[in-house]
Amino acid sequence: MVHGRHDAVTRLRTAWWVRDRSAQQIFDVLGAKEQRTRAVGGLVRDTILGVTSLGGDIDLATELLPDDVLKLACGAGMSCYPTGYDHGTVTVRNGQVTAEVTTLRQDVVTDGRHARVKFGTNWQVDAKRRDFTMNAIYAEFNGALYDPLDGLGDALSGKVRFIGDPDQRIAEDRLRVFRFFRFTASHGQEQYDKLGLDACARAAGDLHALSAERKGAEMTKILGLPHVVVTLARMTKIGVLAFSIEDLQALLRYEKTTQSPVVAARLALLEGEGVLERLRVAWRLSNALVSETRSIRSAARKMIDGELYDAAYRHGRFAYVAVPVACALANWTKEQCREINEFWEEINVPGFPISGDDLLEAGFSQGPELGKALRRIEQDWVQGGFILQRDELLVRLKKYMAH
Ligand code: ATP
Ligand code: MG
């Protein structure tokens, strides 16, 4: 652990955002040298763990009021947007760096969903209103650690622990149940802190008042993580979710066959009657995500039915994502999955070789008959693996028109 701490401190000191000019200009303009602004949250936690990508967004906490943040950053020529002004968040963009700057706060009144916000200048209080110890670690502009709640040890050992009394923290904001599961899946190897888990179980019946958007945002993040089956099973066990055993088993098979899990692919594995529609509403899933899910599911079904060319032709890029979905749904062996994967790596889907001009030239006239016959030759061409040539297709078209 001592070794871990040393490495963590080094990683903070050498983080990209300590070396990056644009990031440092933001710290500067917000009085970070006078300790009025510090980095916090996911950025600091993931820098400590060495899992941040270069660049990207940074989260800052500040004693400055939102109006002052706007004045100072805009005054220095940076772009500023009052993205969450009412709860104290201003987004500042400088060069390639985007910072979410949130004024320190003490949440005064909460109703389990929303906090009415009061701004403050007390860093301890700001730390204590955050959710988990590993999310309440701060760093100065130069990467020096500021860790008022001693969260570093928990971050390094992957312990997702509520700050304060879990029941009370969940009563303040029930979304924390979902966040507890999300962070334990992403940062805790799905090893649940008992106190937190028990409190989540007690709160499981009280989550209906949460907005669909907030739940959906956490759930889609969960579904994009590498390992989630233990988590989804736990959430189901305590009644936060209602996944069937069959779905959980398919999700487990999927997790074992794919290196890069995809949210829509995971959703495509849920087979129960009307599940997708129910989740679409309960989590307010975007139309894009739902149609991607449907496409992946339909491609996977075609693969299972042996219609590989059809899947490739009709579902394009989604078909590749659907391979591990088909493997998981059909419970194929490793060998079978490998074969399908190979097919997929080699296949090249050409464009349909018959154009409207071809048809006019060959003397066909528009109409429902022609449409029907066209769909038939297209299907012949797909099922035959895209090898039928133009002339042969036109012969067939004539034949189909005649019947
Ligand atoms: P990610 O890498 O997923 O963005 P994050 O820790 O940055 O992880 P965010 O949702 O971006 O998570 O929130 C930023 C920080 O704000 C958190 O680290 C935490 O300190 C605090 N926070 C966010 N949501 C809550 C909440 N519901 N209750 C308490 N604190 C919260
Ligand atoms: Mg974040």
Side-chain angles (χ1 to χ4, degrees), residues 91-107:
T91 300
V92 175
R93 199 171 159 76
N94 185 38
Q96 294 304 306
V97 179
T98 303
E100 293 247 300
V101 188
T102 305
T103 302
L104 301 194
R105 42 196 234 198
Q106 284 122 262
D107 297 338

Side-chain angles (χ1 to χ4, degrees), residues 241-291:
L241 298 177
F243 283 14
S244 70
I245 296 285
E246 292 75 23
D247 286 349
L248 289 170
Q249 284 169 340
L251 284 160
L252 181 60
R253 291 195 292 272
Y254 174 77
E255 204 162 287
K256 284 184 176 162
T257 41
T258 183
Q259 301 296 317
S260 38
V262 170
V263 177
R266 283 210 168 101
L267 288 170
L269 289 163
L270 309 175
E271 289 223 288
E273 188 63 27
V275 172
L276 184 61
E277 181 53 25
R278 229 176 15 253
L279 294 182
R280 191 183 68 76
V281 176
W283 298 343
R284 192 145 309 166
L285 301 177
S286 71
N287 291 340
L289 183 59
V290 171
S291 74

Side-chain angles (χ1 to χ4, degrees), residues 40-46 59 100 102 105 107 126-132 134-138 163 169 172-176 179 182-183 186-187 214 218 221:
V40 72
L43 175 72
V44 177
R45 180 197 65 219
D46 292 343
D59 288 316
E100 293 247 300
T102 305
R105 42 196 234 198
D107 297 338
D126 183 74
K128 282 192 182 144
R129 66 114 193 136
R130 294 176 184 274
D131 44 11
F132 308 110
M134 65 167 62
N135 284 350
I137 309 173
Y138 303 76
I163 295 167
R169 301 311 311 282
E172 287 166 11
D173 180 358
R174 298 203 165 89
L175 190 74
R176 290 172 188 156
R179 291 176 63 85
R182 166 154 83 90
F183 285 111
S186 61
H187 290 78
R214 293 186 80 207
E218 293 295 329
K221 283 186 186 166

